[in-house]
Amino acid sequence: MDILWLGVFALLLIGYFALEGFDIGAGMLLPVLGRTQRDRDEIVTAMAPFVLAGEVWLVAVAGVLFGAFPAIEGEVLFGLYPLVVLLLVSWTLRDAGLWFRRRADGSAWRTTWDWAICAGSCGLALSWGMALVALAGGLSGPAIGLLEPAGALVMAALFALHGWTFLSWRLPGRVTGARRTGWALLGSACAAAAPVSVLLAVLAPWLLDHMAPAGTLSVLSVMILPFAPIMVGAQVWVWRMFGPGRAADRIPSFF
Amino acid sequence: MDVLDLARTQFAVTGSLHFLFVVLTLGLAPLIAITHTRYAVTGRPVHERATRFWGQIYVINYALGILTGLVMEFQFGLNWSGLSHYAGDVFGAPLAIETLGAFFLESTFLGLWIFGWHRLPKWLHLACIWAVTLTAYASALWIMAANSFLQNPAGAVERDGHLVLTDFGALLTNPTLTMALPHVLGAGLWTGGFVVLGASAYQLFRRTPERELFTSSLRTGVITSFVGSLITVGFGYAQFGAISGVQPDKFDGGVLPGLGLGFMIMIGQLLQFVIMFALTPAVYWLPRWRWAHPLLMAMTPLPFIAAILGWLARESGRQPWLINGRLTVADAMSPGLTSGMVTVSLIAFGGVLGLLALVDYLLIARTVRRGPAAATLGAGAPADPNERAHALSY
């Protein structure tokens, strides 16, 4: 049971980096690859159907952290206080940018929210990079030390690569000028998820030491595992519905 | 203010903002699912326009529901780590079930619904909005179960200085849950009904070209708020029995619980009186009574205010306990939390979310003002690839 819930936690966190990482990367690259408003609309349209299904993995990570690792939930989030605040504010800005950019007319309105998407995505990447380094250091030192900025830049570069590969796969030969296969996207997903996977492997014994008691885990298993096929099915459905094999979306879409 | 007051203020601000948007989500979701079903069954364009118009209002509102909800979820660990330390083995379970078994599906299916217009097969697209509705209600169940545990820690015993889950069923049969859940869901329907009613009155007052759509939706709004008000008021009073059993002096302590409760009941009773004896009997003629429409518009915010007052009464009536009789709010605060940390995060969350909430309401108002013709949700069919290739060859 302990191994099962450690596995669920790891899967959700790795899934977040793989599936939301390209949205963060594409958001960071929005002003770089999207020189014109039309290009930016095209980028947002490409990522839009994946955002809701991608970011929800982190919501689930936080839920499982609370449910299956209650002894360390507070320790981890409190230990990373400034980074978690930065992450949440960035996430909020990025999402607000996506939801609001096409809700009113005028180029100034849309440009403003496009910058919010870019700033929010950069903030997400940087806070993740710093958080992973801080977690690897065991939360002992100050939340932001010397190694954290380096981690932030590495994570930002990996997300940017993942976002660039996604756009080259979803919009071949368009905003990036390149074409990438689904295999390349899988490769960049592995790259984006590699740092957190290593960290999880290192922290696994510590996580196993702080699992909720068997009674709580049994309740979680009974209440959640029956929904697992629907959750997986819905995620697969998103990818089947909005992959590049389908007819191009009207541009711009709702976002 | 000391650090405890600041942390409590942060929770109150983000929690109130969250419920302002969630209460409308809960009320609109079933109405949109029903409207979409009518469109799927009859194929009439007026139902499609209605689904897209009300659906757009729903999704704009939903954005702030998610964003405030994210901050709520992480706030427990940031400022209140004593809660997960002492009671996480119990309190964490409904939260984990909510995120995985409800919200995960809700968000995924909502994405499919928003971006699946003209892409998904008709019946599967319809199934998405019903899945969104069901999972939103499941979400409400689990969050209310978690909150009810704080009001009355049923199903747990203390061992070695922290709570252990002994009876999961007791979390779901908690007397502070069984009457409060329908109360909250009823308030959602009431709020959703009033928004539909107010927006329809505005469009009819402005002599909308969509007469048929808004005549029908105004009546839907009246009936929905009638049903919602019956459920809300009925289960509201029914809660007093349960509360007197587990929190006998809940509303006697400070000023806030009594005041919040009093004003909520006043708004609720007054509105229920108006709905039952004025709006419902006149439901057939109301769309044509232009003089009444400004009054209907003016009433729209009242259920929101009552809902926030209700939450203030429920939550402040729990003080000084975070978990009634077990853990005080002061003891639950993260050890080492400083005023500086909470002040910065309070300004960051309160400022950003407050501003975005304001923008969100202005955008909802704009969507209402511009009417169904301007709705961008599900606008137009994708260009047929063959036709496009043909057009490009010229």
Side-chain angles (χ1 to χ4, degrees):
Chain A
M1 192 78 83
D2 286 10
I3 298 291
L4 173 75
W5 280 97
L6 180 65
V8 170
F9 180 74
L11 177 75
L12 290 170
L13 194 55
I14 291 169
Y16 171 77
F17 276 80
L19 297 174
E20 179 65 357
F22 63 79
D23 291 327
I24 296 172
M28 289 166 64
L29 297 174
L30 193 58
V32 181
L33 295 176
R35 294 283 176 185
T36 63
Q37 188 66 65
R38 201 193 142 72
D39 284 348
R40 288 194 290 277
D41 285 346
E42 201 166 11
I43 293 170
V44 172
T45 302
M47 65 193 265
F50 301 97
V51 171
L52 277 166
E55 67 181 13
V56 79
W57 289 69
L58 183 55
V59 180
V61 166
V64 172
L65 187 61
F66 209 138
F69 305 91
I72 53 172
E73 187 254 5
E75 195 183 326
V76 169
L77 293 182
F78 182 75
L80 300 170
Y81 203 103
L83 296 176
V84 174
V85 173
L86 176 64
L87 181 113
L88 289 173
V89 170
S90 305
W91 193 354
T92 303
L93 274 182
R94 197 281 306 254
D95 275 23
L98 288 172
W99 288 89
F100 289 171
R101 67 190 295 279
R102 293 222 315 119
R103 298 287 80 76
D105 304 322
S107 64
W109 172 270
R110 201 175 298 176
T111 308
T112 304
W113 292 111
D114 282 348
W115 278 109
I117 295 172
C118 176
S121 303
C122 292
L124 277 168
L126 298 177
S127 49
W128 268 118
M130 291 191 276
L132 295 184
V133 172
L135 281 169
L139 296 173
S140 49
I144 299 173
L146 287 172
L147 269 175
E148 277 81 355
L153 293 179
V154 170
M155 207 58 246
L158 288 173
F159 280 149
L161 170 73
H162 194 18
W164 185 89
T165 311
F166 168 78
L167 291 172
S168 308
W169 167 77
R170 184 71 181 75
L171 304 167
R174 304 281 275 280
V175 286
T176 61
R179 294 162 188 276
R180 287 292 177 273
T181 60
W183 291 107
L185 183 60
L186 186 63
S188 66
C190 291
V196 77
S197 310
V198 173
L199 183 68
L200 278 166
V202 173
L203 295 182
W206 178 66
L207 287 167
L208 277 173
D209 268 353
H210 292 88
M211 301 289 298
T216 304
L217 295 182
S218 309
V219 164
L220 294 183
S221 304
V222 170
M223 298 307 298
I224 292 171
L225 295 184
F227 294 103
I230 312 175
M231 291 157 72
V232 173
Q235 290 276 327
V236 170
W237 193 17
V238 169
W239 282 83
R240 286 184 56 96
M241 243 20 253
F242 300 106
R246 298 283 175 154
D249 253 324
R250 279 177 75 259
I251 297 167
S253 76
F254 183 74
F255 275 175
Chain B
M1 280 205 276
D2 64 4
V3 58
L4 180 63
D5 290 332
L6 285 167
R8 284 185 59 199
T9 306
Q10 183 170 319
F11 202 89
V13 168
T14 48
S16 301
L17 279 174
H18 182 56
F19 198 66
L20 273 182
F21 293 91
V22 168
V23 71
L24 182 57
T25 295
L26 288 173
L28 279 184
L31 296 182
I32 287 156
I34 291 168
T35 312
H36 194 160
T37 307
R38 292 175 76 184
Y39 167 52
V41 171
T42 65
R44 290 188 57 206
V46 65
H47 294 314
E48 185 197 359
R49 292 199 302 278
T51 310
R52 289 178 38 223
F53 174 71
W54 299 112
Q56 174 148 340
I57 292 170
Y58 172 82
V59 297
I60 295 176
N61 178 74
Y62 191 89
L64 257 283
I66 300 183
L67 299 180
T68 50
L70 297 176
V71 175
M72 294 297 289
E73 190 189 16
F74 286 82
Q75 200 174 171
F76 286 119
L78 289 175
N79 297 345
W80 308 105
S81 67
L83 174 63
S84 59
H85 219 262
Y86 176 69
D89 292 348
V90 190
F91 184 74
L95 286 191
I97 298 170
E98 191 271 341
T99 55
L100 277 167
F103 184 71
F104 192 97
L105 291 169
E106 183 182 358
S107 188
T108 310
F109 281 115
L110 184 67
L112 280 161
W113 188 71
I114 292 175
F115 298 101
W117 284 88
H118 315 293
R119 268 179 171 262
L120 265 54
K122 179 169 102 172
W123 297 104
L124 286 177
H125 190 221
L126 175 66
C128 286
I129 191 67
W130 277 107
V132 169
T133 308
L134 281 178
T135 47
Y137 273 60
S139 232
L141 164 70
W142 294 113
I143 292 300
M144 288 302 292
N147 179 275
S148 300
F149 175 77
L150 303 181
Q151 314 289 341
N152 174 40
V157 293
E158 188 173 309
R159 265 183 221 147
D160 304 329
H162 68 272
L163 292 182
V164 182
L165 181 65
T166 50
D167 181 4
F168 180 69
L171 286 185
L172 296 176
T173 53
N174 192 331
T176 56
L177 170 68
T178 45
M179 298 296 159
L181 178 68
H183 179 67
V184 163
L185 295 177
L189 286 176
W190 192 341
T191 311
F194 260 44
V195 166
V196 170
L197 181 61
S200 306
Y202 171 83
Q203 282 284 337
L204 290 170
F205 189 73
R206 290 266 309 262
R207 302 192 194 284
T208 173
E210 292 276 10
R211 239 196 124 65
E212 183 192 354
L213 192 163
F214 287 109
T215 296
S216 156
S217 63
L218 189 141
R219 290 180 183 142
T220 306
V222 172
I223 300 304
T224 307
S225 51
F226 177 65
V227 174
S229 64
L230 281 184
I231 297 172
T232 312
V233 175
F235 282 97
Y237 281 117
Q239 283 185 78
F240 281 114
I243 291 171
S244 66
V246 293
Q247 296 171 300
D249 48 5
K250 177 158 193 157
F251 303 115
D252 305 334
V255 180
L256 206 52
L259 213 61
L261 183 75
F263 276 109
M264 177 197 74
I265 290 179
M266 193 184 79
I267 294 174
Q269 299 250 277
L270 203 68
L271 281 188
Q272 195 192 24
F273 189 81
V274 172
I275 296 168
M276 193 179 283
F277 296 110
L279 302 187
T280 307
V283 66
Y284 179 77
W285 302 277
L286 211 50
R288 271 179 277 159
W289 289 350
R290 201 158 172 270
W291 58 268
H293 296 162
L295 295 173
L296 299 178
M297 288 180 239
M299 290 193 316
T300 309
L302 293 176
F304 290 94
I305 297 170
I308 295 307
L309 290 172
W311 271 107
L312 285 178
R314 183 174 170 98
E315 294 299 274
S316 57
R318 174 165 53 71
Q319 302 301 324
W321 300 106
L322 202 156
I323 303 174
N324 191 28
R326 303 276 191 168
L327 178 73
T328 63
V329 172
D331 287 339
M333 208 174 63
S334 303
L337 191 70
T338 65
S339 300
M341 294 161 90
V342 193
T343 307
V344 171
S345 58
L346 173 61
I347 293 170
F349 295 148
V352 170
L353 292 176
L355 193 66
L356 292 177
L358 190 67
V359 173
D360 203 69
Y361 279 134
L362 290 173
L363 291 174
I364 289 176
R366 184 177 187 273
T367 305
V368 171
R369 184 161 50 79
R370 300 189 57 183
T376 42
L377 177 71
D384 179 41
N386 298 322
E387 203 178 289
R388 253 192 10 194
H390 188 67
L392 283 175
S393 66
Y394 284 101

